[in-house]
Amino acid sequence: MLGLPGEYTTQQQTPMDKITAIIVAKKNSVRLKNKNMLPYGNSTILGHKIKQLVNSNYINEVVVGSNCKHILKHSEDNGAVPIFREEEYCDEKICPANLMIYDMIHKIKPTDIVLWAHCTNPNIQTRTYNNAIVKYKEQIELGYDSLVSVDESKNHFWYLNESDQPKPMNFNPWGNTHPLASTLKPYYQQNGAIFIQSYENMLSNSYFYGLLPYLFVTPILESHDINNELDFKICKKLHEEYFNNEK
């Protein structure tokens, strides 16, 4: 089962489970300089993300882990709990994701549920975080152990086999009729916007999600990820056009 875009919750009550949102924001960015502190809306990319999470009726605490005192001060000023991270856990060249997650999850106070968010998806709205949390709780009852946000795509995909030969992945281009993209089996791309699982599971697996994650499709206007200067400009334009009046 999938969480479809547009399925927003209107529930306002705070659940009994304690939910902690985690953001990691290192000082130096490889592909886009000073990425987390770039201006965005009325704040920075980081400040904007903190506000989206703080405004959720379901999230009890927002934590920001960083190796930069300026970022930590900025986080605290925007309503987050600052946690210092040592340099070795902020360098992706020497620190694998599992070790980074292990370090960060052991630095926060015990909680029930962890929502891991990234600043690099700045247009994910508070209502989408709310909806993801509700979906996570529903799907846990059905046997899933975590939630990961994805983009759905129905396109003609190819891949290279072991001999580097191109092969169609989800369609037969030599059939009697050309398969329309709209009729193809969809594929799902992890977009990095939202990861949810229990605190205990994240402690034990040191990863963003478990063995059976529920695929939560985020609205396409919200899920764009910032990897470079062009992505940053696209996200800012989307924010100005569609979300600038979002409260």
Side-chain angles (χ1 to χ4, degrees), residues 39-120:
Y40 204 87
N42 297 322
S43 183
T44 62
I45 287 181
L46 175 58
H48 186 74
K49 180 55 59 186
I50 293 172
K51 180 180 178 182
Q52 290 167 333
L53 295 166
V54 167
N55 285 344
S56 169
N57 296 311
Y58 298 94
I59 296 172
N60 303 96
E61 183 178 63
V62 179
V63 173
V64 175
S66 180
N67 58 336
C68 174
K69 292 182 179 179
H70 178 56
I71 287 178
L72 292 175
K73 177 63 167 59
H74 181 66
S75 300
E76 188 172 26
D77 290 343
N78 280 275
V81 176
I83 293 182
F84 180 76
R85 299 166 63 211
E86 293 79 8
E87 293 289 340
E88 63 184 286
Y89 297 109
C90 300
D91 188 347
E92 59 189 21
K93 293 181 180 179
I94 62 173
C95 181
N98 303 73
L99 187 56
M100 179 273 294
I101 295 169
Y102 175 89
D103 173 69
M104 189 65 206
I105 196 67
H106 281 80
K107 280 181 163 62
I108 70 171
K109 294 179 180 179
T111 185
D112 296 311
I113 297 170
V114 172
L115 187 156
W116 195 291
H118 287 129
C119 294
T120 46

Side-chain angles (χ1 to χ4, degrees), residues 4-247:
L4 300 178
E7 294 183 357
Y8 296 123
T9 178
T10 57
Q11 185 175 348
Q12 296 298 316
Q13 295 181 350
T14 302
M16 295 300 293
D17 292 315
K18 181 181 178 182
I19 301 177
T20 299
I22 293 178
I23 306 169
V24 291
K26 61 183 180 180
K27 181 178 180 179
N28 297 316
S29 302
V30 177
R31 289 172 289 187
L32 186 60
K33 186 177 180 180
N34 201 32
K35 177 172 59 182
N36 296 308
M37 298 299 286
L38 289 174
Y40 204 87
N42 297 322
S43 183
T44 62
I45 287 181
L46 175 58
H48 186 74
K49 180 55 59 186
I50 293 172
K51 180 180 178 182
Q52 290 167 333
L53 295 166
V54 167
N55 285 344
S56 169
N57 296 311
Y58 298 94
I59 296 172
N60 303 96
E61 183 178 63
V62 179
V63 173
V64 175
S66 180
N67 58 336
C68 174
K69 292 182 179 179
H70 178 56
I71 287 178
L72 292 175
K73 177 63 167 59
H74 181 66
S75 300
E76 188 172 26
D77 290 343
N78 280 275
V81 176
I83 293 182
F84 180 76
R85 299 166 63 211
E86 293 79 8
E87 293 289 340
E88 63 184 286
Y89 297 109
C90 300
D91 188 347
E92 59 189 21
K93 293 181 180 179
I94 62 173
C95 181
N98 303 73
L99 187 56
M100 179 273 294
I101 295 169
Y102 175 89
D103 173 69
M104 189 65 206
I105 196 67
H106 281 80
K107 280 181 163 62
I108 70 171
K109 294 179 180 179
T111 185
D112 296 311
I113 297 170
V114 172
L115 187 156
W116 195 291
H118 287 129
C119 294
T120 46
N121 305 88
N123 290 329
I124 298 291
Q125 302 299 292
T126 300
R127 62 194 181 194
T128 301
Y129 287 118
N130 288 344
N131 194 41
I133 292 168
V134 171
K135 286 292 182 182
Y136 165 79
K137 286 176 169 289
E138 292 175 354
Q139 299 308 313
I140 285 296
E141 297 298 321
L142 298 176
Y144 292 88
D145 62 6
S146 49
L147 178 147
V148 53
S149 63
V150 296
D151 294 323
E152 181 182 270
S153 181
K154 287 188 176 183
N155 284 301
H156 300 89
F157 288 103
W158 292 74
Y159 72 100
L160 298 179
N161 65 13
E162 295 179 355
S163 301
D164 285 336
Q165 295 176 328
K167 297 291 182 180
M169 183 179 295
N170 61 336
F171 71 106
N172 178 13
W174 305 286
N176 294 328
T177 58
H178 170 71
L180 298 176
S182 60
T183 67
L184 297 176
K185 179 180 179 180
Y187 277 78
Y188 300 93
Q189 177 180 319
Q190 185 173 307
N191 59 35
I194 308 171
F195 303 103
I196 307 177
Q197 67 174 320
S198 71
Y199 172 74
E200 292 298 330
N201 279 356
M202 191 168 280
L203 277 177
S204 63
N205 64 30
S206 298
Y207 201 58
F208 295 113
Y209 45 84
L211 295 176
L212 188 60
Y214 173 73
L215 302 183
F216 177 77
V217 182
T218 48
I220 192 63
L221 289 176
E222 299 181 20
S223 64
H224 198 86
D225 183 29
I226 297 177
N227 288 307
N228 50 48
E229 182 70 24
L230 178 59
D231 291 331
F232 177 58
K233 291 180 179 179
I234 291 173
C235 284
K236 286 194 74 172
K237 185 64 175 178
L238 288 171
H239 172 72
E240 293 166 1
E241 291 289 329
Y242 296 99
F243 307 118
N244 200 29
N245 296 321
E246 187 79 15
K247 296 182 180 180

